[in-house]
Amino acid sequence: MTATIEHVAKLAGVSKATVSRVINGVSTVSEENRNKVKKAMKELNFVPNLTARNLRNQRTGNIAVVVPEVGNAFFSRLVQSMAIEAEKQGYQLLICQSRYKHEQEVNYLNFLKTKQVDGIILAAVRNEWEVIETYLASGPIVLCNETVQNATVPVISPNQEYGGYIAAKHLLEQGHTKIAYCMGGDDSKTGLLRKKGFLKAIQEFDLIFDEKYYFNSETPQTGSGFEDGRVLFYQIRNMTEPPTAIFTGSDEVAVGIITEAKKFGWNVPNDLAVIGFDNQPLASIIEPSLTTVDQPIDLIAQKAIKVLIEKINEGTTLKYENYEFPLELIIRESTIKTRIPTVFS
Amino acid sequence: MTATIEHVAKLAGVSKATVSRVINGVSTVSEENRNKVKKAMKELNFVPNLTARNLRNQRTGNIAVVVPEVGNAFFSRLVQSMAIEAEKQGYQLLICQSRYKHEQEVNYLNFLKTKQVDGIILAAVRNEWEVIETYLASGPIVLCNETVQNATVPVISPNQEYGGYIAAKHLLEQGHTKIAYCMGGDDSKTGLLRKKGFLKAIQEFDLIFDEKYYFNSETPQTGSGFEDGRVLFYQIRNMTEPPTAIFTGSDEVAVGIITEAKKFGWNVPNDLAVIGFDNQPLASIIEPSLTTVDQPIDLIAQKAIKVLIEKINEGTTLKYENYEFPLELIIRESTIKTRIPTVFS
DNA sequence: CTGTTAGCGCTTTCAG
DNA sequence: CTGAAAGCGCTAACAG
């Protein structure tokens, strides 16, 4: 059917070994034979069978990245960047969606054992480290945008705690004291770290966080995130003492809150200040434009790929290393109170 | 290092063949041996090497889908759905991003020749059919959301022409006569088909399309699409006789136009009616809410996977087959004129 | 029911 | 510089 190295060898009148040599450009082959082989390859439309080569070489040139789902704006940008960088380095990126399921995650980790990939980037983790650890024997793993208790591998991630900190600090500086915190429904470390930073800022202002202002949108996979924001607004609206500001885990949720608030005649930011996370294009489009925390997604993606490939090449046992990226607060209209014209003015 | 079938065989005191049989659950193995093998596998933490199995079986269990980029909202939903369906059918989906480059596309098509995948879905095509055709010898290809001249493979796609038709018809029924058409910058069939439907509706209303109302956002990869919409609005604004309605190829572009228009004090839909394409969550969020054409993305994705796998299993030569999905116009505020209060009312 | 054997297509010593 | 041969890990006849 498809031509193999053997057909080429026969047609060129040389051995398989010689053909292999010209394919890989290693060691030396006489000019004459090289030409004969090249001619034969062209004639037979030969392309090496990578499966066979991989088996022989014990490597695949593939790396996998596990994300919850690519429908999510953050992750879609992350994997897009990773794919580009991987390709630059001569690797093919397999994009795997765990859909927030332990089981799926393990499934993909198994790619290491089954030798389908040379290494894995976990960009969302549901399993305990003790589970993940067992896969390290089969190849390197790095964490990206996520930390796991006890992890003994490189972690490439924005400084989530700092993100929570600058967001809260900004709101506090605007004079807010009743500030709500909302994190995604996933039980990841990410949200906890942001909350830690958030609380730190609150403490610095000698305030105490009231747990009634802690929200957890339970359904990360409902789809758009907008919907979560809407629902969240209803909850806030029904409170006897609603917060005057809210920090959310994503721009979509923030936008959902804002649009719903507007429908009910609330003024953002005067009645409710809102901060998002991610600085998506959408954030500057909506009205009022959204104050948000910008993540250097591309840099993180590139670094994750680079570190993983480095580890693949080194082949040494991994240890914890932290590559931390700074976050930046982008201040827009959704948190800066406008002067309200009053009857006295 | 990692355990192989041979280690298991040795430990269990049976032959490699027997181990293989229990792994694959085919043919019969005595209860006793089966247990011994299972025990040995567990003890050695054995997982079969898929590369070896693939080489032997001449199949990989992988299929690839080529999209321009997953950062795009439409494609990210498409691949997400495909991945889920593929997995259900026991296949792993490789998501490949061509970034609108001929060369990348060919690169991925080569996966067929190198036996890295069993079949390919092209969800964006830049190359001529004559180029693509040459890969058919190595495995089945189907087109999704895209048609190519002379294609001799199954095409799974929404009825783009109909989409253009219903959009235009709706605007015409609203009394518009100066209607602009804007398609994405990619030179794909998709935009042309929509335009065809668009023109058909215009003819039915005994109007003639003025080419000055034809826009082509040149830069599909600029990122958000919002930006394209903004730029487009400036062009419209500078026209001596601007259109009163516009049909765009994506919700993002539509939203870009709307937000920019609002900034300049235009009223949407009264000064400019806007229709998007895709019915993204965003469409119902913005103000005014966006009239748009809804695509049954999940159905299309599932069907594409099913058809491809069918073809992989059949192994017969492909022929042109058309699986067409209906589109639906979702009418919202961006095209329904509001009564403008006048001084006379 | 089970083991032996022969490859899948490729790379890589090891002699020549 | 080149070829023969072994083998990556697995499966599938084919005998027994």
Side-chain angles (χ1 to χ4, degrees):
Chain A
M1 172 93 233
T2 332
T4 75
I5 212 174
E6 182 145 23
H7 301 134
V8 176
K10 207 156 285 174
L11 182 59
V14 298
S15 73
K16 293 194 297 175
T18 300
V19 177
S20 173
R21 289 189 184 106
V22 331
I23 292 172
N24 295 288
V26 307
S27 118
T28 41
V29 178
S30 72
E31 192 66 24
E32 187 192 342
N33 277 344
R34 160 170 277 103
N35 288 334
K36 281 198 288 187
V37 169
K38 283 191 170 168
K39 181 156 162 279
M41 293 203 306
K42 199 154 291 171
E43 193 165 326
L44 294 172
N45 212 339
F46 170 82
V47 175
N49 178 321
L50 283 200
T51 304
R53 179 185 285 178
N54 290 346
L55 176 59
R56 173 63 223 224
N57 289 347
Q58 303 285 52
R59 78 179 283 285
T60 66
N62 294 151
I63 60 192
V65 56
V66 181
V67 295
E69 37 186 35
V70 296
N72 174 300
F74 172 78
F75 288 112
S76 75
R77 272 183 60 199
L78 187 75
V79 299
Q80 179 160 338
S81 257
M82 283 182 177
I84 293 170
E85 181 65 27
E87 188 197 306
K88 261 188 210 155
Q89 312 252 354
Y91 279 80
Q92 167 65 21
L93 183 71
L94 308 196
I95 299 166
C96 307
Q97 305 183 76
S98 67
R99 278 175 287 138
Y100 302 98
K101 294 194 198 128
H102 290 69
E103 175 203 327
Q104 268 296 340
E105 209 171 284
V106 168
N107 236 330
Y108 292 127
L109 282 166
N110 251 316
F111 280 15
L112 278 178
K113 290 200 180 173
T114 60
K115 305 294 179 203
Q116 297 187 87
V117 302
D118 300 334
I120 288 192
I121 298 172
L122 293 178
V125 183
R126 290 301 258 226
N127 288 277
E128 302 293 315
W129 180 248
E130 286 63 37
V131 174
I132 298 168
E133 200 171 20
T134 61
Y135 292 86
L136 278 178
S138 313
I141 296 173
V142 308
L143 300 176
C144 178
N145 192 52
E146 179 80 290
T147 319
V148 183
Q149 196 85 42
N150 305 324
T152 57
V153 298
V155 177
I156 296 92
S157 163
N159 190 333
Q160 305 285 5
E161 185 177 335
Y162 180 69
Y165 176 78
I166 54 179
K169 193 170 171 205
H170 171 65
L171 292 173
L172 290 159
E173 284 170 354
Q174 301 297 309
H176 294 282
T177 55
K178 291 178 287 186
I179 303 175
Y181 176 86
C182 164
M183 78 169 195
D186 55 293
D187 53 11
S188 67
K189 277 282 166 210
T190 305
L192 293 177
L193 284 171
R194 288 187 196 161
K195 190 181 178 190
K196 196 172 159 195
F198 180 87
L199 294 177
K200 187 176 158 217
I202 291 204
Q203 275 173 3
E204 284 183 9
F205 273 69
D206 293 324
L207 294 171
I208 288 174
F209 180 65
D210 189 338
E211 283 293 329
K212 78 179 174 201
Y213 293 137
Y214 176 65
F215 297 95
N216 192 323
S217 63
E218 286 296 341
T219 50
Q221 56 277 70
T222 29
S224 72
F226 295 135
E227 200 47 40
D228 298 320
R230 286 174 153 164
V231 171
L232 198 51
F233 174 74
Y234 298 138
Q235 294 181 43
I236 288 175
R237 187 162 171 271
N238 285 331
M239 293 176 83
T240 51
E241 192 181 23
T244 60
I246 181 163
F247 169 55
T248 72
S250 89
D251 284 353
E252 281 101 335
V253 172
V255 169
I257 292 173
I258 290 177
T259 52
E260 209 59 24
K262 279 164 73 179
K263 275 189 201 154
F264 282 87
W266 288 38
N267 177 296
V268 174
N270 293 353
D271 298 325
L272 182 67
V274 182
I275 291 194
F277 210 100
D278 213 16
N279 193 22
Q280 291 172 26
L282 180 59
S284 54
I285 288 285
I286 70 149
E287 275 179 321
S289 58
L290 183 67
T291 295
T292 187
V293 179
D294 183 69
Q295 312 198 54
I297 299 188
D298 294 336
L299 294 179
I300 293 173
Q302 285 159 21
K303 189 67 181 181
I305 294 285
K306 278 181 189 147
V307 171
L308 180 62
I309 292 177
E310 209 177 290
K311 299 311 171 189
I312 290 173
N313 292 335
E314 285 175 1
T316 55
T317 53
L318 303 180
K319 59 181 195 299
Y320 173 75
E321 299 169 42
N322 197 15
Y323 300 88
E324 212 165 61
F325 286 75
L327 292 172
E328 190 188 348
L329 184 69
I330 309 292
I331 298 172
R332 297 204 182 87
E333 300 164 353
S334 69
T335 55
I336 302 299
K337 277 197 182 161
T338 51
R339 251 165 264 265
I340 308 179
T342 72
V343 286
F344 307 108
S345 72
Chain B
M1 174 92 233
T2 330
T4 75
I5 215 174
E6 182 145 24
H7 300 135
V8 176
K10 208 157 281 174
L11 182 59
V14 297
S15 73
K16 291 194 297 174
T18 300
V19 176
S20 173
R21 288 195 264 255
V22 332
I23 292 172
N24 294 289
V26 306
S27 112
T28 41
V29 178
S30 73
E31 192 66 24
E32 188 191 341
N33 275 346
R34 162 170 275 105
N35 287 333
K36 281 199 288 190
V37 169
K38 283 191 170 169
K39 183 158 163 278
M41 293 203 307
K42 200 153 292 171
E43 194 164 327
L44 294 172
N45 214 337
F46 170 82
V47 175
N49 179 322
L50 285 200
T51 304
R53 178 186 287 177
N54 291 345
L55 175 58
R56 175 61 223 225
N57 290 347
Q58 301 286 55
R59 78 178 282 285
T60 66
N62 294 151
I63 60 193
V65 56
V66 181
V67 295
E69 39 187 34
V70 295
N72 174 300
F74 172 79
F75 288 112
S76 76
R77 271 183 61 200
L78 188 75
V79 298
Q80 179 161 337
S81 256
M82 283 183 177
I84 293 170
E85 181 65 27
E87 189 197 305
K88 261 188 210 156
Q89 312 251 356
Y91 279 78
Q92 167 65 24
L93 183 72
L94 307 196
I95 299 165
C96 306
Q97 305 182 76
S98 67
R99 279 175 286 139
Y100 302 97
K101 296 194 198 129
H102 289 70
E103 176 203 327
Q104 268 295 339
E105 211 172 283
V106 168
N107 237 329
Y108 291 128
L109 282 167
N110 251 316
F111 280 16
L112 278 178
K113 290 201 181 173
T114 59
K115 303 294 179 203
Q116 295 187 89
V117 301
D118 301 333
I120 288 192
I121 298 172
L122 294 179
V125 182
R126 292 300 257 225
N127 287 278
E128 302 293 315
W129 180 248
E130 286 61 40
V131 175
I132 298 169
E133 200 171 20
T134 61
Y135 292 87
L136 278 179
S138 314
I141 297 172
V142 307
L143 300 177
C144 178
N145 193 53
E146 180 81 289
T147 319
V148 182
Q149 197 87 44
N150 305 325
T152 57
V153 297
V155 176
I156 296 91
S157 163
N159 189 332
Q160 304 284 5
E161 185 178 335
Y162 180 69
Y165 176 77
I166 54 178
K169 193 171 172 205
H170 171 66
L171 292 173
L172 290 159
E173 283 170 354
Q174 300 297 309
H176 293 282
T177 54
K178 291 179 286 186
I179 304 175
Y181 178 87
C182 163
M183 78 168 196
D186 53 292
D187 51 13
S188 66
K189 278 280 165 209
T190 305
L192 293 178
L193 284 172
R194 287 186 196 163
K195 191 181 180 192
K196 196 172 159 197
F198 180 88
L199 293 177
K200 186 176 158 218
I202 291 202
Q203 277 174 0
E204 283 183 9
F205 273 70
D206 293 324
L207 293 171
I208 288 173
F209 181 66
D210 189 338
E211 283 292 330
K212 78 179 174 202
Y213 293 138
Y214 176 65
F215 296 96
N216 192 323
S217 62
E218 286 297 339
T219 51
Q221 56 276 71
T222 29
S224 71
F226 295 135
E227 200 49 38
D228 298 321
R230 285 175 153 162
V231 171
L232 198 51
F233 174 74
Y234 298 139
Q235 293 183 43
I236 288 175
R237 187 163 171 270
N238 285 332
M239 293 177 82
T240 50
E241 190 182 24
T244 61
I246 181 163
F247 169 55
T248 70
S250 89
D251 284 353
E252 282 100 335
V253 172
V255 168
I257 292 173
I258 290 178
T259 52
E260 209 58 23
K262 280 164 71 180
K263 274 188 201 154
F264 283 87
W266 287 38
N267 177 296
V268 174
N270 294 352
D271 297 326
L272 182 68
V274 181
I275 292 194
F277 210 100
D278 213 15
N279 193 23
Q280 290 173 28
L282 180 58
S284 54
I285 288 287
I286 70 150
E287 277 180 319
S289 58
L290 182 66
T291 295
T292 187
V293 179
D294 183 67
Q295 313 198 53
I297 300 187
D298 293 336
L299 294 180
I300 294 173
Q302 285 159 20
K303 188 67 182 180
I305 294 285
K306 278 181 190 150
V307 171
L308 180 62
I309 293 179
E310 211 176 288
K311 300 309 171 192
I312 290 173
N313 292 334
E314 284 174 3
T316 56
T317 52
L318 303 179
K319 60 179 193 302
Y320 174 74
E321 301 168 42
N322 196 15
Y323 300 88
E324 210 166 62
F325 286 75
L327 292 171
E328 191 187 348
L329 183 70
I330 308 291
I331 299 172
R332 297 204 182 87
E333 298 163 355
S334 68
T335 55
I336 302 299
K337 278 197 180 159
T338 51
R339 252 165 262 266
I340 308 178
T342 73
V343 285
F344 307 109
S345 71

